[in-house]
Amino acid sequence: MKGLNPEIVKGFGYKLETYTHFRNSFICETNQGIKVIQAVDGDIPQLLFQHSAKEHLYQNGFKWVDRFYISENNAPYYIHEGTAYVMTDWVDGRECDFDHLEDIKKAISTLADMHKVSKGLIPLEGSRIRYDERSLPLVVQKRISELTTMKKRINRQSHMSEFDLIFLKYYKYYEEVCKRSLEWLNRSNYNETKEKVKKEKCFCHNDYTYHNLLIAPSGALYVTHFEECRYGLPIYDLVSVLKKIMKKHNWDITIANELLSLYMDKVNIDDEKNLLVSLLILPDDFLKVCNRYYNTRRAWASQSLLRKLNLIIEQKENVAQFIKYIESL
């Protein structure tokens, strides 16, 4: 990684004193405190959409985001020798620990606060407007079809691997879970919900996970890295992070209940409960691992995927209890 030219910091109106490399960025001591400078891939329209989302949240009362500084060119970036750079404040904090109960409660509570003000985003002119274009009914139907295809493929083989044998033993169970997910989805008024969210200009972070959540010494949780942000159903964030947390906590329904209560005390999702159930019971991990296994030819990857599959099967009964709880919401 090449060094940092002081002109880049000057382009944001600050004077560089010293700096150090940190991952793919620079931590800079300036005449007005510690800042972070990072080179971006040059996709300015996408960067403008990120900036718009973060400013929308900040201006509507959600202050805990890594805002971009405005450069002397009145833009949320500065271009030096053909490369675009952004500058943010340095958050002196630690990553959110999904193993720690208080951290995950803070993560869910902060997500609810963010979602409460995520409506009405009007991006800056020149932004690349990003939408979540997927059709969930088609996605789930495709997953069910993929399971059938995998089974047929295995049955045509002359030799079965350990992964194949485990798949054949459990694929029917996971196929039934997928069908239950589709049933809940069909009861959810999904198309109406999608249109409502589109009309209200709601957006989701789309990568709300521990390494993008920083807890400051004050206890405040900052949400960073909005690169994947797009218009779409905010509930996707809730489902994604909740599944990551549940896997860490062996699908403990007491924890699930506490976290969902925290979220629903702040955000009314009565109209989206069937959709929430559908997404939470969809066996993403099983489907993902199987797809990767049957689409890779690397022996080392196969062993890694076998370990992941075994872990999924080990948690199967706890997941079944979690599904039972979710369906009773």
Side-chain angles (χ1 to χ4, degrees):
M1 188 179 193
K2 65 181 182 179
L4 178 65
N5 191 311
E7 288 299 312
I8 297 166
V9 178
K10 186 178 178 182
F12 289 98
Y14 293 80
K15 181 181 178 181
L16 179 65
E17 295 176 353
T18 63
Y19 72 87
T20 56
H21 294 288
F22 180 72
R23 296 179 182 172
N24 60 342
S25 59
F26 303 96
I27 302 175
C28 306
E29 290 274 2
T30 76
N31 60 325
Q32 295 188 50
I34 303 176
K35 310 298 176 187
V36 179
I37 296 281
Q38 183 173 2
V40 294
D41 62 8
D43 188 348
I44 299 302
Q46 195 271 341
L47 184 66
L48 290 175
F49 189 81
Q50 281 184 61
H51 175 66
S52 300
K54 290 194 275 191
E55 287 303 300
H56 174 88
L57 292 173
Y58 190 88
Q59 298 303 330
N60 283 280
F62 187 85
K63 307 295 185 182
W64 304 277
V65 292
D66 57 339
R67 299 172 77 195
F68 294 140
Y69 274 80
I70 302 301
S71 72
E72 62 183 16
N73 298 322
N74 198 33
Y77 56 87
Y78 181 76
I79 296 178
H80 179 74
E81 295 182 350
T83 300
Y85 294 85
V86 294
M87 185 168 84
T88 61
D89 281 323
W90 166 253
V91 179
D92 182 19
R94 60 175 178 83
E95 283 187 354
C96 184
D97 184 354
F98 278 9
D99 287 318
H100 193 274
L101 182 59
E102 290 307 310
D103 278 18
I104 58 178
K105 286 164 66 176
K106 193 181 295 288
I108 295 297
S109 181
T110 300
L111 180 65
D113 290 335
M114 185 175 75
H115 283 170
K116 280 197 301 184
V117 296
S118 67
K119 294 180 182 178
L121 171 62
I122 306 296
L124 287 173
E125 185 177 350
S127 297
R128 176 177 296 113
I129 310 300
R130 305 180 76 186
Y131 295 97
D132 191 313
E133 301 285 7
R134 64 185 144 175
S135 167
L136 285 179
L138 291 179
V139 168
V140 179
Q141 288 166 352
K142 182 182 178 183
R143 298 294 175 260
I144 295 171
S145 175
E146 285 171 348
L147 287 174
T148 303
T149 300
M150 290 174 204
K151 178 177 178 290
K152 289 179 178 177
R153 175 177 170 178
I154 294 168
N155 287 335
R156 288 197 300 265
Q157 296 174 176
S158 58
H159 170 76
M160 292 188 189
S161 68
E162 186 178 350
F163 194 104
D164 295 334
L165 294 171
I166 295 172
F167 176 88
L168 290 176
K169 184 175 180 180
Y170 292 104
Y171 102 93
K172 194 66 181 176
Y173 168 80
Y174 286 103
E175 183 183 58
E176 289 303 317
V177 175
C178 286
K179 289 178 179 177
R180 280 162 68 182
S181 173
L182 186 58
E183 287 171 6
W184 280 100
L185 185 56
N186 289 336
R187 295 182 219 155
S188 70
N189 299 317
Y190 167 71
N191 288 329
E192 292 88 340
T193 301
K194 194 174 178 182
E195 283 304 309
K196 177 186 174 188
V197 164
K198 190 173 182 179
K199 187 178 294 184
E200 292 178 345
K201 298 187 180 300
C202 296
F203 65 94
C204 52
H205 183 278
N206 212 42
D207 194 17
Y208 193 86
T209 190
Y210 66 93
H211 52 77
N212 292 330
L213 307 176
L214 299 177
I215 300 179
S218 65
L221 186 148
Y222 284 80
V223 184
T224 67
H225 292 285
F226 280 70
E227 288 89 345
E228 298 301 321
C229 177
R230 66 197 61 205
Y231 284 122
L233 280 69
I235 204 169
Y236 289 153
D237 284 338
L238 175 61
V239 169
S240 174
V241 72
L242 192 59
K243 283 188 170 184
K244 289 182 176 72
I245 291 169
M246 286 294 95
K247 189 160 53 174
K248 287 269 189 180
H249 293 270
N250 210 18
W251 302 90
D252 186 324
I253 60 176
T254 303
I255 292 176
N257 183 64
E258 187 171 6
L259 297 180
L260 283 170
S261 295
L262 267 176
Y263 186 88
M264 292 189 288
D265 282 347
K266 293 184 175 185
V267 180
N268 184 347
I269 57 171
D270 288 345
D271 293 340
E272 298 170 54
K273 272 196 176 178
N274 288 346
L275 177 58
L276 176 69
V277 173
S278 171
L279 291 170
L280 283 175
I281 69 176
L282 186 68
D284 307 88
D285 280 355
F286 180 82
L287 296 165
K288 188 184 297 182
V289 166
C290 291
N291 265 310
R292 285 181 180 172
Y293 180 85
Y294 291 111
N295 287 287
T296 185
R297 299 294 179 188
R298 297 179 178 88
W300 62 265
S302 297
Q303 287 304 308
S304 171
L305 294 170
L306 177 60
R307 287 192 293 271
K308 290 180 180 180
L309 180 64
N310 278 318
L311 179 60
I312 291 167
I313 300 304
E314 284 173 19
Q315 293 188 328
K316 174 176 165 289
E317 294 307 316
N318 287 344
V319 175
Q321 290 302 311
F322 173 78
I323 289 173
K324 187 176 179 181
Y325 156 72
I326 291 299
E327 290 184 318
S328 70
L329 286 175

